[in-house]
Amino acid sequence: MFKKILIANRGEIACRVIKTARSMGIVTVAVYSEADANARHVRLADEAVLIGPPAASESYLVADRILQVAKDTGAEAIHPGYGFLSENDEFAEACERAGIVFIGPPASAIRAMGLKSASKALMEKAKVPLTPGYHGDNQDPAFLATQAQAIGYPVLIKASAGGGGKGMRRVDTAADFEAALTSCKREARNAFGDDDVLVEKYIVKPRHIEFQVFGDTHGNCVYLFERDCSVQRRHQKVLEEAPAPGMTPERRAAMGKAAVDAAKAVGYVGAGTVEFIAMQDGGFYFMEMNTRLQVEHPVTEMITGLDLVEWQLRVATGEPLPLTQEQLEIDGHAIEARIYAEDPDRGFLPSTGRLVHLAPPAESDHVRVDTGVEQGDEITPHYDPMIAKLIVWGADRRQALARMRQALAQYRVVGVSNNVDFLTRLVTVPSFANADLDTGLIEREQALLFPPAGEVRADVWLLAALAQLLREQRLAQKKAARSADPHSPWRALDGWRLNGHAERRLVFRLGESVREVGVEVLPDGYRLQISPKSVFARGTLGADSELHAQLGERRLRAAVVTSGERRHMFFEGRSWPLSLVDTLHAGGEGEEVEGGLRAPMPGKVVALAVQPGATVEKGAPLLVLEAMKMEHTIHAPRKGVVKAFRFAPGDQVSDGAELLDFEGSE
Ligand code: ADP
Ligand code: ADP
Ligand code: MG
């Protein structure tokens, strides 16, 4: 076995490889870009070497530099992970020339599977079932249009060099073919530097079912069963599971054989994945082969109890496969969810920033978290915005699903937009729960997956208020403990006053909605008021942000993470990024002028707290202004009516600008 290996990757997969290498007593060398100087994979590795600036093209993709580091550090082999250089045949060849083992298939196998069109020609010879279509060299638009006609619409135009869901166009009618071809070729040229395309039958309501294969240098090749990756957005996987729901032993054997035939046809060695597009009637066609370890390999590990990275390392040193096909077994069901820094409500736009708070669910035999980041780390714009992969195992799909829901409910991410709430809705959608799968599931379930914001339940505001009061109380106690007289009531900030019960208001905002919670401090808790109801509340707030609350007769659990004025509420598997407005009433009253209220400082209107025409009491919040990164509430100077607002949320206002028309009652 190797004594030392280099990992030519970053993020969760670099950490994943280091973990297995370490367990096998192999020393690890990490490489990193300037943006990753303090990244988790660098912290975990035994040695780490800087290879260049943040841009991947100047660091993680610079083959010569990485090979030099391997030589300098005495690494005997290079694990490429996925992405980056993992499917680069020239890099695999360069490793070989330098006498360093490339932990992956031979360069010839990568090359053979590199282009979708060429690989299909090979698969045709190996008698692997192919999607009806044209995958030859003739790129004449008129010829391709004739082929499309012969295949029958709808068809899919695919960039031959494509990957990651890019360079694909569905075409429904002959009239649209030419325009789609032009745009697909343009995208392919820009993304892959190669504009050759193939045209194939567009399969309606298909499933994506892929087979994990493994070959060794002794001519053995097995399949480690399948993964269903049908839940996709923009042809990219979001959820993956194993085994595929509804798979029969006969069909598994047939698909497994086709996958092994595909691998053998190119002399495959190591871990690879053969992707099939499967029809609802069970028929299947070869789509492509990914010649590397796949992002979703953990679901296979969970149902087989195997370590695929260990297998990769063994095969790379020339050992035979540890098990034969007959010895491989499926145990239970596993599901993986990709946790991304992205905003599902804005077209899954990637989000960057510091992970102010990051609390994954506790890991166990059934729950696994593969990640490349920890709390305090940054998600930068330079790389894939994946935060983690959450993988769960259950004795059956139903149990795995229940565990996934629970684990997602425990996942807390603050600092970047993320898809945790979206994933929670996704695993709850009846069609997914009932395994009614196809690649259009997300598209079809829009209504359930992107519900309108709607009213936030009163409980959420109440819990936020309770957490705030408990937090202030804790701060006050700390202060008092440090002061000369720990019992001095003047040092306490908990609202306690000499003249009996105290009253105050806490104002929270979510997007453009503002709610006020009235607080009365009682000897053993608080009376919280959110119109029209009032409830007795008490509880404890742990240092880990856990809130154990009692609201009236009910006991509730939530978590509240504080970050600046933000109060991130996690409750019942959902989260709400609330803001606390005006801590302790510090903040601007509007300057009252004849008939209106003026902005006390320049800023941006973030929310209106009441409807125009509303009658309000003295002190009621009317409008929230953001200035110098702080939020300020403009309150009613006395009882009266808000006639009209002069601005809308998002508007910038200058110092002294008249914000609203207000009419006092007397
Ligand atoms: P998969 O089928 O494993 O999802 P894809 O073919 O969609 O793979 O994408 C190719 C691989 O490259 C994926 O494993 C993906 O996570 C990885 N990848 C995509 N973009 C990046 C990036 N910017 N940095 C590193 N890896 C990436
Ligand atoms: P990539 O290299 O980008 O991963 P694939 O050929 O693997 O490209 O296809 C990616 C996804 O596109 C598949 O998982 C599937 O959802 C969809 N797809 C591919 N081929 C077809 C087809 N012929 N009909 C319908 N959908 C398809
Ligand atoms: Mg693919």
Side-chain angles (χ1 to χ4, degrees):
M1 186 45 63
F2 307 118
K3 289 192 179 61
K4 191 174 193 176
I5 63 168
L6 180 147
I7 296 121
N9 215 299
R10 62 177 304 283
E12 67 85 17
I13 193 62
C15 299
R16 159 77 192 88
V17 174
I18 290 171
K19 191 175 169 200
T20 291
R22 175 145 309 151
S23 76
M24 295 171 71
I26 301 169
V27 176
T28 53
V29 181
V31 291
Y32 65 96
S33 73
E34 282 160 12
D36 282 339
N38 194 37
R40 184 165 183 262
H41 78 280
V42 174
R43 300 197 290 265
L44 285 183
D46 296 302
E47 279 175 56
V49 180
L50 176 68
I51 49 169
S57 59
E58 297 180 59
S59 51
Y60 297 105
L61 287 170
V62 184
D64 294 347
R65 176 85 183 103
I66 291 171
L67 264 176
Q68 191 58 48
V69 173
K71 287 181 204 156
D72 294 347
T73 54
E76 299 145 82
I78 295 182
H79 194 301
Y82 54 70
F84 298 133
L85 295 169
S86 64
E87 293 181 276
N88 185 316
D89 55 327
E90 285 169 24
F91 179 65
E93 230 159 41
C95 287
E96 201 177 320
R97 275 200 304 276
I100 288 169
V101 177
F102 176 77
I103 303 171
S108 56
I110 300 178
R111 204 171 304 129
M113 289 297 186
L115 288 178
K116 291 188 206 296
S117 47
S119 69
K120 284 196 172 159
L122 262 174
M123 292 305 109
E124 202 162 34
K125 272 195 217 140
K127 301 201 165 53
V128 176
L130 292 183
T131 319
Y134 175 75
H135 45 75
D137 291 334
N138 194 339
Q139 294 291 307
D140 174 48
F143 174 80
L144 292 174
T146 319
Q147 291 298 318
Q149 199 66 46
I151 296 162
Y153 287 95
V155 300
L156 190 65
I157 308 176
K158 264 191 206 181
S160 193
K166 279 213 197 83
M168 277 194 265
R169 293 288 184 284
R170 173 185 168 158
V171 191
D172 289 311
T173 62
D176 300 334
F177 187 82
E178 203 179 319
L181 179 66
T182 309
S183 117
C184 185
K185 277 189 175 275
R186 192 183 320 116
E187 185 172 306
R189 203 158 41 237
N190 290 337
F192 314 110
D194 177 345
D195 69 357
D196 274 9
V197 298
L198 55 97
V199 184
E200 62 185 33
K201 178 96 196 138
Y202 183 88
I203 311 294
V204 180
K205 273 197 101 189
R207 280 167 69 178
H208 173 118
I209 297 179
E210 59 184 33
F211 272 68
Q212 176 70 53
V213 295
F214 239 105
D216 65 18
T217 50
H218 306 272
N220 303 305
C221 190
V222 299
Y223 61 91
L224 281 68
F225 315 111
E226 76 281 2
R227 294 181 287 257
D228 191 311
C229 314
S230 299
V231 184
Q232 307 182 343
R233 57 160 174 78
R234 282 196 245 105
H235 304 299
Q236 284 173 357
K237 300 158 187 168
V238 178
L239 294 175
E240 300 106 344
E241 60 183 302
M247 179 68 82
T248 62
E250 297 73 34
R251 189 170 308 137
R252 177 175 293 127
M255 293 179 83
K257 180 180 178 302
V260 167
D261 287 347
K264 281 189 168 161
V266 297
Y268 205 81
V269 175
T273 295
V274 179
E275 297 188 335
F276 294 104
I277 193 143
M279 288 165 287
Q280 297 292 335
D281 69 6
F284 62 91
Y285 299 124
F286 171 86
M287 201 154 41
E288 66 165 345
M289 180 168 187
N290 292 327
T291 53
R292 54 172 158 86
L293 193 66
Q294 202 95 330
V295 175
E296 55 274 20
H297 75 276
V299 291
T300 299
E301 298 188 319
M302 294 292 256
I303 60 156
T304 56
L306 301 172
D307 181 332
L308 297 196
V309 174
E310 182 186 335
W311 276 42
Q312 284 190 299
L313 292 167
R314 292 197 182 286
V315 164
T317 55
E319 289 182 29
L321 291 177
L323 297 174
T324 62
Q325 192 67 60
E326 294 66 41
Q327 289 170 316
L328 288 162
E329 271 177 44
I330 297 178
D331 179 24
H333 198 97
I335 307 176
E336 172 179 287
R338 301 190 188 190
I339 316 276
Y340 275 105
E342 64 181 19
D343 189 346
D345 293 327
R346 294 204 285 153
F348 299 96
L349 199 71
S351 169
T352 58
R354 188 168 297 282
L355 293 160
V356 175
H357 179 88
L358 181 63
E363 290 195 71
S364 68
D365 286 348
H366 310 137
V367 178
R368 167 173 165 182
V369 179
D370 280 17
T371 187
V373 289
E374 284 166 13
Q375 180 165 308
D377 287 352
E378 193 108 19
I379 300 289
T380 72
H382 306 295
Y383 316 107
D384 196 83
M386 190 196 275
I387 298 171
K389 302 186 305 202
L390 171 63
I391 311 104
V392 299
W393 180 91
D396 55 23
R397 190 173 192 268
R398 186 186 298 263
Q399 190 181 55
L401 205 53
R403 284 183 173 146
M404 178 56 87
R405 287 197 195 112
Q406 184 172 319
L408 283 170
Q410 291 168 355
Y411 223 117
R412 300 203 300 265
V413 183
V414 175
V416 290
S417 299
N418 62 83
N419 63 346
V420 173
D421 284 10
F422 171 79
L423 290 169
T424 302
R425 291 194 291 275
L426 188 53
V427 297
T428 317
V429 163
S431 57
F432 181 74
N434 298 330
D436 177 12
L437 304 173
D438 72 85
T439 58
L441 187 139
I442 289 181
E443 190 84 335
R444 196 172 52 247
E445 300 288 3
Q446 297 277 336
L448 291 174
L449 293 174
F450 301 94
E455 276 285 286
V456 178
R457 283 171 48 188
D459 285 344
V460 174
W461 307 104
L462 290 170
L463 290 168
L466 177 62
Q468 180 61 21
L469 293 163
L470 294 170
R471 188 161 175 270
E472 290 175 11
Q473 196 178 51
R474 190 167 63 199
L475 288 174
Q477 279 161 357
K478 267 194 201 151
K479 257 193 199 163
R482 279 200 302 270
S483 79
D485 174 9
H487 301 294
S488 164
W490 307 110
R491 298 195 167 271
L493 286 166
D494 61 358
W496 188 89
R497 299 288 183 277
L498 280 180
N499 58 353
H501 70 255
E503 294 222 15
R504 56 181 290 204
R505 273 189 284 259
L506 286 168
V507 180
F508 294 93
R509 178 177 73 78
L510 177 68
E512 292 173 10
S513 58
V514 176
R515 287 299 289 270
E516 186 186 62
V517 181
V519 181
E520 185 185 331
V521 182
L522 304 174
D524 56 345
Y526 305 91
R527 178 148 292 279
L528 300 182
Q529 186 153 14
I530 187 158
S531 57
K533 71 175 182 181
S534 139
V535 66
F536 174 76
R538 55 188 286 180
T540 56
L541 184 66
D544 55 359
S545 318
E546 292 296 336
L547 174 67
H548 289 259
Q550 183 186 337
L551 290 186
E553 299 302 309
R554 295 178 305 148
R555 307 259 168 176
L556 305 173
R557 283 185 64 174
V560 187
V561 176
T562 300
S563 161
E565 78 277 13
R566 275 292 163 92
R567 297 293 180 274
H568 287 267
M569 290 288 309
F570 296 87
F571 177 54
E572 294 188 337
R574 286 195 57 190
S575 66
W576 295 267
L578 305 187
S579 297
L580 174 66
V581 185
D582 289 355
T583 322
L584 303 176
H585 285 284
E589 293 286 329
E591 184 196 347
E592 193 179 2
V593 293
E594 190 65 36
L597 288 176
R598 288 186 189 281
M601 62 197 81
K604 188 172 91 175
V605 175
V606 288
L608 308 178
V610 295
Q611 299 286 332
T615 301
V616 295
E617 295 298 320
K618 177 177 177 352
L622 304 180
L623 176 150
V624 181
L625 199 64
E626 183 191 271
M628 294 172 292
K629 299 215 152 70
M630 295 272 296
E631 297 200 353
H632 308 269
T633 307
I634 305 300
H635 299 278
R638 54 213 162 88
K639 185 172 177 172
V641 177
V642 176
K643 293 285 196 190
F645 287 101
R646 300 275 177 98
F647 296 95
D651 288 346
Q652 294 287 341
V653 295
S654 53
D655 190 10
E658 211 165 306
L659 297 170
L660 54 98
D661 300 327
F662 182 78
E663 193 176 277
S665 310
E666 73 263 8

